Amino acid sequence: YQQCLALARQQKDTSGLILALNGVASVYWRQERDADVLRISETLVRLQKTAGLTTDQIETYNRMGLAYLNLSDAPQALRHFTKALD
């Protein structure tokens, strides 16, 4: 995913960048790297908004909520779960 991410950035390919960032965030999630999940997901959700990918935003906000729960930050988790439902 890191190579795809670099290539997408180089080519300014928004859809490729979204796909690669989602892959990286998923890998970090499985590795329980919650701070990295949040860092990548902030960028990812901005790109998804710009591209009008509402369904993808729901998944990203949900993953962010779960990461915040793992970090024992219930208020932020609730905020992101709520965004996923909006």
Side-chain angles (χ1 to χ4, degrees):
Y1 286 112
Q2 292 291 354
Q3 290 175 342
C4 291
L5 183 57
L7 185 59
R9 282 186 175 142
Q10 181 183 25
Q11 295 181 353
K12 297 182 179 23
D13 175 6
T14 302
S15 61
L17 190 55
I18 289 169
L19 183 64
L21 285 170
N22 192 51
V24 171
S26 294
V27 169
Y28 286 165
W29 172 250
R30 283 185 235 114
Q31 294 173 342
E32 299 180 9
R33 294 171 56 181
D34 297 307
D36 291 323
V37 168
L38 295 171
R39 180 178 51 81
I40 293 292
S41 295
E42 287 292 338
T43 301
L44 180 57
V45 81
R46 280 194 302 272
L47 289 169
Q48 291 168 333
K49 281 182 187 177
T50 301
L53 301 173
T54 306
T55 303
D56 292 343
Q57 289 176 56
I58 293 168
E59 180 183 328
T60 301
Y61 279 126
N62 185 63
R63 183 171 40 227
M64 292 171 79
L66 292 169
Y68 277 115
L69 271 181
N70 286 345
L71 295 170
S72 300
D73 190 341
Q76 282 286 24
L78 183 57
R79 180 173 158 255
H80 285 81
F81 289 140
T82 301
K83 281 186 176 188
L85 296 173
D86 284 343

